Amino acid sequence: MSEQRITDALSTAFSSHSIVFWHDADGEFSFSVRNLLPDGVELLYVDDLPALSIKLQVERAAPQASFLLYSAKPVPELADDWLLDIRLRSKSFHADNASIVLEDLGLASQQLRAHLKERAKFLKSKDRVERLKRWVAPNDGAEDLDRKMIAVLAKAEQADLAAILLRLFSALVQDGVANLDAEPKACSDIVANDLIDSFWVLVEQEMGYGDAAPTLRDFLFRILVTDLSRTVRGACPAQLSHFVIGDQARAANASVFVAGWRSHMQHFASYDALSGTVARELGLSKVIAGLAAESLAETMTFEEVERRIIQDIKGRIIAGAGADMDTLRGLIARRRDGHWANKLLAHSSATTRALASCYDALEAAAAFFELKERFNAGFGFANAEAGLAAYQSELFRFDQLYRQINHAADGVEPMGWALLHELRQRIESAYSGWFVPQLGSAWSKVLEGKDGLLSSWQVAGWVNQPDFFETHVMAHLDAGIRRVFVVISDAFRYEAAEELVRDINGKSRFKAALTPMLGVLPSYTALGMASLLPHHTLAYRTNSNLDVIADAAVVSTLEQRSAHLGRYQGVAVKADELLSMGKDKGREFVRDHRVIYVYHDRIDMLGDKQGSEGQTFDAVAQTLAELNQLATFIVNGLNASLVLITADHGFLYQESALDKADKSTLSDKPAGTLRAKKRYLLGQGLGESSQAWCGNTAVTAGTTAGEGSMDFWVPKGAARFHFAGGARFVHGSAMPQEIVIPVITLRESEHQSARTRAVEFSLLGSSNKVVTNKQRFEFIQTEAVSERVLARSVLVSLRDGETMISDEQSLTFDSSSGLMDERKRSVILTIKSGQYDKSKDHFLIARDTQTRVEVVRIPVKVDLAFANDF
């Protein structure tokens, strides 16, 4: 030890005491002690001076003077110590390295000197000692010091075993690849500093893992399998039982650690990689192959568990377990709250995104078959009014669920999993082979005949698309609205609009309402777009483009529509151009206009091309996001008080390829045909055909009779006239998916009834006492989720102050059911072993997952009388 180090240590001793005793039993510093004195300290040689003389010198100079009383002999026995009275108010000094460190660390017990000598390798590093100082407490014992030294070597965030293990296990993963046989540098450092035995003692004390030759690899297997065994319903699979930690109380600590690891935002990726590797080595997929989803409902340990549950739920849905759909929905909700399918982690894990998509697909599929069960006999409508009302109120859900299933399943495909292949086939068969044909057959009956919809194209209570401007735009302007925005999204279908309205109504400042409109026929872009413009007359121009003219003006392009709108103090703009203007330029752009038509094109742009029609449902998802963004910008950025969102037409789409049965039997184009597309023919003098639905645009679109109108033939049901180009995405005919046009009326509202709030929930039961290390808590969602009462996710745990004494579990309250039994949610918390004051209040706490705001705090007593699993 350097002389300066000794001088510094003496200075530290004199900073709190004016008298310091130094017994240098070996006389190592007897000749140099005077050179080591700090400034202002007087040296007295105890061995050379009578005790009385020493006492007189000290008493006469006290309290201003400082004295070092040095002896080259050991400390005398109490009975022989003539300076005991001085010693009792002084400080003892030792010049060995352990004693200096003991002083530096502020430790109270001199008995630790021997232990610190054994830790000489660790203490050689000044940097390590400085880091150790942050955690050392005066009353620490040998085990405390070893734990904190290990934490320093592991570079842990806290000086506890959980933080140490997070570092050690995370080091087994490099670039996302797990190596169970790797030796982390921290482990090598722990071994090199003679602390490895202390580490394994600590592990055994806290988590119950003991082995003659302990390894990180074996320990990892033990804690993961133990966590699985504690959460699986029923006996742990026999193939795994030898890995289970026997001590139930300390096994609970291991389970709490595992739960905290997989939910740790910095370390969960290492958990995913390591647990996946362990699962493969265990052959876990075969081990749990026979377990039902209910048995694994609370098990979050391995990704393989998630796949097994998905397989089980999928099998039940396919088998027609519709009678127990509530149970399946409960299972799905619980798994979404868990680790592997939690959407909060989806941004950083492709696996999590795919598993979450699996559950989205399963839930939509369950709803699809549940809906199908109600209409197994097919469809029948008394008239067009009844048929349109049925589609607008309920049948659109078939199209919506079909889209949601396939879009979710598309999110799984990049993983190369076959989990949903059979389900997709069954859904495809039910949708394309049952729903669409059945709906087409029933719909044909209300279209045809002298009293059919084709003969009048009028339905009581429904606005026709050509009347859109007068009914929806002018009515608001006449009522005093200063400016109306009209967003037209090409091929934006009614079912997608219903989803958008639900999403919009989840925002506090918006109120959206959806109404249907009867579209024009043929249902294609040029005619639909023209009919939405203000006009007195619509007509066709018999040229090569078959232009549609509004009030004698061609309105085929954006520029032409904008010029036409100029007559009504209006303007037209593309959606992306308006967004790119930003708030200030956007306000300047709309300032002098009363009507702004905003054109958006995503679905038709991708769907109506052979090379990209397979992206139709992804295009719908993008459209929902973009229209949401656009509406928010218009209201918030451009100060709009009213936005109307509508479409020119809808569409039909199926995932499967078409065959000859999907093609109309129409052999040749009739004389007079001017345009022939997959879903419509336009011309003059076309006549009638039993193979098609026939009519004239004067009736179905209000075009000027005579030369200003066109005869049309459209294929019946979902058939196509030909398959040239893309054939799975089509529009133009008269199926409800094509002609039921959405009109969303979006307003800004500060009215109290328009504000959203999170749903309320409370704890069920009156017993607030925890007596086992696994405790179930049941909650009741006190109201149904609605447009203004929003779902809420919370993190639930038991805490002592801010210290968690259990694992932390996620719960989501999102039920829209009116039945209270269907709004119950439960969670099982694992409580750490330990001694708890039975009379003290601990707290069951729920915090909002996103905001971390505390929403529930319930006092509970913890009395772990039984350290067992029930």
Side-chain angles (χ1 to χ4, degrees):
M1 183 183 296
S2 68
E3 290 187 353
Q4 185 59 48
R5 178 81 184 273
I6 296 174
T7 301
D8 291 342
L10 282 169
S11 297
T12 300
F14 279 108
S15 67
S16 58
H17 293 76
S18 60
I19 302 172
V20 174
F21 275 85
W22 181 1
H23 282 269
D24 179 16
D26 298 324
E28 183 181 353
F29 298 98
S30 58
F31 296 106
S32 59
V33 61
R34 189 171 295 280
N35 297 328
L36 303 174
L37 291 176
D39 293 339
V41 174
E42 185 174 343
L43 175 65
L44 297 179
Y45 285 96
V46 173
D47 301 336
D48 299 337
L49 295 171
L52 181 59
S53 173
I54 294 172
K55 289 183 179 184
L56 289 173
Q57 289 190 57
V58 169
E59 293 299 331
R60 288 170 183 168
Q64 291 82 10
S66 296
F67 292 92
L68 175 64
L69 278 61
Y70 175 85
S71 171
K73 299 177 181 179
V75 178
E77 296 294 330
L78 291 178
D80 300 326
D81 190 357
W82 294 96
L83 297 176
L84 181 60
D85 58 332
I86 298 177
R87 190 182 302 279
L88 291 175
R89 54 190 173 92
S90 68
K91 188 175 182 66
S92 294
F93 177 77
H94 303 271
D96 60 284
N97 192 57
S99 299
I100 297 294
V101 172
L102 189 79
E103 186 72 29
D104 283 352
L105 295 176
L107 291 165
S109 175
Q110 290 293 323
Q111 295 177 349
L112 289 171
R113 290 170 58 205
H115 184 73
L116 291 175
K117 284 182 179 179
E118 294 176 1
R119 299 290 175 255
K121 291 181 180 178
F122 178 93
L123 298 172
K124 281 182 180 179
S125 168
K126 186 176 181 181
D127 176 63
R128 288 199 295 257
V129 172
E130 287 300 314
R131 284 187 283 146
L132 182 63
K133 281 183 180 180
R134 295 178 302 163
W135 288 326
V136 170
N139 296 323
D140 277 349
E143 290 182 354
D144 298 315
L145 287 175
D146 281 359
R147 171 171 46 82
K148 292 173 181 180
M149 289 179 188
I150 293 167
V152 168
L153 294 171
K155 295 183 171 58
E157 296 173 0
Q158 301 292 333
D160 57 44
L161 180 59
I164 293 166
L165 292 177
L166 281 178
R167 285 292 187 182
L168 297 181
F169 284 133
S170 294
L172 296 176
V173 180
Q174 296 295 326
D175 298 323
V177 179
N179 180 0
L180 300 182
D181 297 316
E183 183 177 24
K185 181 180 183 301
C187 274
S188 301
D189 290 343
I190 292 169
V191 171
N193 285 275
D194 300 327
L195 284 160
I196 192 63
D197 290 340
S198 295
F199 170 73
W200 288 118
V201 168
L202 177 62
V203 167
E204 183 170 13
Q205 287 175 343
E206 291 202 21
M207 297 191 181
Y209 169 72
D211 193 89
T215 65
L216 269 185
R217 176 195 178 94
D218 185 54
F219 178 45
L220 179 63
F221 274 69
R222 299 288 297 275
I223 61 174
L224 290 180
V225 173
T226 296
D227 184 57
L228 181 145
S229 73
R230 290 177 55 79
T231 52
V232 69
R233 186 182 299 175
C236 177
Q239 304 95 312
L240 306 178
S241 59
H242 59 289
F243 284 112
V244 178
I245 294 172
D247 185 312
Q248 292 294 331
R250 289 185 284 183
N253 291 347
S255 195
V256 170
F257 164 70
V258 169
W261 180 11
R262 64 174 166 256
S263 64
H264 197 292
M265 294 306 293
Q266 288 182 310
H267 295 287
F268 78 86
S270 67
Y271 177 89
D272 291 359
L274 287 168
S275 64
T277 301
V278 170
R280 286 189 292 275
E281 294 205 11
L282 290 172
L284 190 66
S285 59
K286 293 182 180 178
V287 171
I288 64 174
L291 296 180
E294 286 85 352
S295 298
L296 299 167
E298 297 296 329
T299 303
M300 307 293 171
T301 316
F302 296 104
E303 180 195 329
E304 286 295 340
V305 169
E306 211 70 60
R307 296 198 194 201
R308 172 59 200 144
I309 292 172
I310 289 168
Q311 288 172 339
D312 190 18
I313 293 176
K314 176 197 68 176
R316 294 193 218 178
I317 292 172
I318 290 173
D324 199 23
M325 285 303 173
D326 289 338
T327 299
L328 297 188
R329 289 193 184 94
L331 277 167
I332 291 171
R334 182 69 192 105
R335 300 312 296 182
R336 280 178 170 151
D337 283 335
H339 172 70
W340 296 102
N342 195 315
K343 290 188 176 181
L344 293 177
L345 304 177
H347 68 282
S348 56
S349 170
T351 298
T352 301
R353 286 194 296 273
L355 290 169
S357 293
C358 282
Y359 285 118
D360 289 344
L362 291 174
E363 189 169 47
F368 184 97
F369 286 122
E370 198 173 30
L371 186 62
K372 181 179 181 295
E373 187 72 18
R374 293 175 46 212
F375 292 97
N376 262 343
F379 309 104
F381 312 121
N383 50 43
E385 182 179 350
L388 288 171
Y391 183 81
Q392 172 250 332
S393 64
E394 189 170 30
L395 298 185
F396 76 88
R397 288 277 292 157
F398 281 106
D399 298 305
Q400 188 180 74
L401 291 167
Y402 175 72
R403 169 177 60 81
Q404 291 170 347
I405 293 163
N406 282 289
H407 183 249
D410 285 342
V412 181
E413 291 300 322
M415 303 301 294
W417 301 343
L419 275 173
L420 300 180
H421 288 179
E422 186 181 3
L423 181 67
R424 294 188 79 164
Q425 292 171 1
R426 294 297 183 93
I427 288 292
E428 188 62 36
S429 176
Y431 181 80
S432 299
W434 175 80
F435 170 66
V436 174
Q438 288 282 342
L439 180 63
S441 177
W443 191 237
S444 184
K445 294 175 184 178
V446 302
L447 284 178
E448 299 172 352
K450 64 176 183 177
D451 297 322
L453 183 59
L454 280 171
S455 65
S456 65
W457 211 249
Q458 296 288 329
V459 177
W462 284 59
V463 173
N464 282 54
Q465 198 170 14
D467 298 324
F468 167 79
F469 187 83
E470 284 296 323
T471 304
H472 289 285
V473 181
M474 279 306 303
H476 289 299
L477 292 173
D478 291 342
I481 297 292
R482 187 162 61 95
R483 183 178 293 116
V484 176
F485 287 80
V486 178
V487 177
I488 303 173
S489 184
D490 203 330
F492 185 50
R493 201 158 63 166
Y494 184 85
E495 55 88 4
E498 191 272 344
E499 184 174 328
L500 178 62
V501 165
R502 280 189 280 117
D503 189 38
I504 288 174
N505 281 333
K507 298 178 180 178
S508 292
R509 294 183 58 224
F510 300 119
K511 180 67 177 177
L514 175 63
T515 55
M517 184 166 62
L518 183 59
V520 294
L521 190 64
S523 51
Y524 74 106
T525 298
L527 185 57
M529 290 293 187
S531 69
L532 292 169
L533 291 167
H535 63 272
H536 298 290
T537 62
L538 283 181
Y540 276 96
R541 178 174 290 175
T542 312
N543 58 7
S544 58
N545 292 325
L546 278 189
D547 289 326
V548 181
I549 57 177
D551 298 340
V554 177
V555 288
S556 299
T557 66
L558 179 77
E559 292 73 22
Q560 290 167 345
R561 293 171 196 160
S562 190
H564 179 72
L565 285 166
R567 305 175 191 175
Y568 299 84
Q569 292 183 268
V571 68
V573 63
K574 290 183 179 179
D576 55 354
E577 291 179 3
L578 182 64
L579 284 170
S580 68
M581 292 179 190
K583 181 175 69 175
D584 294 335
K585 289 184 179 179
R587 289 180 180 179
E588 179 69 22
F589 175 76
V590 305
R591 185 184 60 189
D592 298 327
H593 302 290
R594 297 186 70 200
V595 180
I596 298 92
Y597 271 49
V598 184
Y599 289 93
H600 175 270
D601 186 8
R602 173 73 61 186
I603 299 170
D604 202 67
M605 179 180 67
L606 290 174
D608 209 15
K609 296 182 178 67
Q610 184 177 14
S612 58
E613 66 176 353
Q615 302 173 40
T616 295
F617 289 154
D618 186 53
V620 175
Q622 292 179 55
T623 293
L624 291 172
E626 290 166 3
L627 291 181
N628 217 323
Q629 177 193 15
L630 181 61
T632 300
F633 171 72
I634 291 172
V635 173
N636 292 340
L638 305 184
N639 293 332
S641 58
L642 181 71
V643 181
L644 301 173
I645 303 174
T646 189
D648 51 347
H649 55 76
F651 66 87
L652 277 172
Y653 176 80
Q654 67 182 61
E655 284 285 303
S656 58
L658 286 85
D659 55 30
K660 289 183 179 180
D662 300 303
K663 191 173 182 180
S664 171
T665 56
L666 189 67
S667 54
D668 297 308
K669 289 186 292 185
T673 299
L674 298 175
R675 175 171 294 172
K677 296 292 185 180
K678 291 186 288 289
R679 285 285 280 173
Y680 64 92
L681 300 178
L682 284 173
Q684 292 182 331
L686 296 183
E688 298 287 329
S689 171
S690 61
Q691 307 302 318
W693 290 325
C694 307
N696 187 275
T697 59
V699 175
T700 59
T703 54
T704 304
E707 292 188 359
S709 294
M710 290 285 160
D711 291 333
F712 63 79
W713 288 7
V714 294
K716 294 183 177 183
R720 281 75 161 159
F721 283 144
H722 60 81
F723 294 162
R728 292 185 291 152
F729 174 95
V730 292
H731 57 84
S733 189
M735 287 288 280
Q737 294 93 330
E738 300 167 286
I739 63 169
V740 177
I741 307 300
V743 178
I744 298 174
T745 304
L746 172 65
R747 300 174 184 273
E748 180 186 30
S749 177
E750 292 294 345
H751 192 272
Q752 190 66 30
S753 64
R755 296 178 185 272
T756 59
R757 61 178 176 83
V759 71
E760 299 290 336
F761 65 97
S762 60
L763 181 68
L764 281 174
S766 57
S767 176
N768 293 339
K769 189 173 184 180
V770 175
V771 295
T772 66
N773 55 28
K774 284 175 68 177
Q775 187 77 26
R776 179 186 294 274
F777 294 95
E778 190 168 29
F779 297 86
I780 182 73
Q781 182 183 315
T782 56
E783 56 193 332
V785 165
S786 65
E787 286 185 346
R788 296 296 162 186
V789 179
L790 307 183
R792 164 182 265 162
S793 292
V794 295
L795 293 169
V796 183
S797 62
L798 280 172
R799 292 176 181 260
D800 180 1
E802 270 303 298
T803 302
M804 279 199 297
I805 61 171
S806 74
D807 57 346
E808 190 173 49
Q809 297 281 353
S810 176
L811 272 183
T812 298
F813 298 94
D814 60 357
S815 175
S816 58
S817 174
L819 301 176
M820 294 192 73
D821 278 350
E822 294 181 2
R823 301 204 300 265
K824 292 179 180 178
R825 295 286 186 270
S826 66
V827 64
I828 297 175
L829 295 181
T830 299
I831 294 86
K832 293 180 180 178
S833 64
Q835 296 298 318
Y836 297 97
D837 186 344
K838 302 175 187 178
S839 63
K840 178 181 178 181
D841 277 342
H842 297 80
F843 291 91
L844 177 67
I845 290 175
R847 292 177 176 171
D848 187 277
T849 302
Q850 293 184 321
T851 66
R852 292 287 174 166
V853 170
E854 188 174 294
V855 292
V856 166
R857 173 179 283 260
I858 299 169
V860 295
K861 305 294 185 185
V862 180
D863 181 7
L864 296 185
F866 307 102
N868 68 317
D869 291 351
F870 50 73

